[in-house]
Amino acid sequence: MPREFKVISGMGKDDQQTYKVVLPEEKLRHFRNVTGSVLQDALDTWADIWNEFQGSVTHGVLVSPEIKEGFKPQCGWPEFLEKIWLLRQNLDYVKRLCEGKD
């Protein structure tokens, strides 16, 4: 049995909390807004990571010869790895959200 989704609208008369039952259409709109926001963050993070390869990778597929010495991100390894981790976190959150495991 699905749980009732309630939004606390603040304090009502006599300092009692009032609740509003949210319609399925509102839940769907909220779900789409949250999902869209997290996915946009993931895409922005991916773009940051992809930009690190510019100059080392041509046309998105060929690795330039000077990369033989090894890849070194312009932003530095700690920040680069943080971006990779952030991308994973965003994708994992959206997956759990879509599966109803939030």
Side-chain angles (χ1 to χ4, degrees):
M1 181 171 158
R3 295 182 295 175
E4 187 78 18
F5 184 69
K6 296 181 180 182
V7 175
I8 299 174
S9 63
M11 303 305 271
K13 294 181 182 178
D14 301 327
D15 293 333
Q16 298 291 323
Q17 290 183 337
T18 57
Y19 296 92
K20 173 185 173 189
V21 176
V22 179
L23 299 173
E25 296 83 19
E26 291 177 275
K27 287 188 210 178
L28 178 60
R29 184 174 48 81
H30 178 71
F31 172 81
R32 291 178 69 184
N33 287 340
V34 170
T35 304
S37 177
V38 174
L39 285 174
Q40 185 60 56
D41 287 346
L43 286 170
D44 292 344
T45 303
W46 179 86
D48 287 345
I49 293 168
W50 184 251
N51 284 335
E52 290 294 328
F53 293 107
Q54 298 309 308
S56 301
V57 178
T58 59
H59 305 296
V61 293
L62 299 174
V63 177
S64 64
E66 60 268 6
I67 202 71
K68 281 192 259 182
E69 291 83 39
F71 171 72
K72 293 185 178 98
Q74 295 174 5
C75 63
W77 279 109
E79 187 175 338
F80 184 78
L81 294 174
E82 184 177 335
K83 290 176 183 180
I84 295 285
W85 183 253
L86 181 60
L87 178 61
R88 186 225 182 260
Q89 289 295 100
N90 284 330
L91 294 174
D92 181 58
Y93 179 75
V94 169
K95 180 181 180 285
R96 289 185 294 116
L97 187 65
C98 290
E99 292 174 345
K101 297 179 182 178
D102 58 330

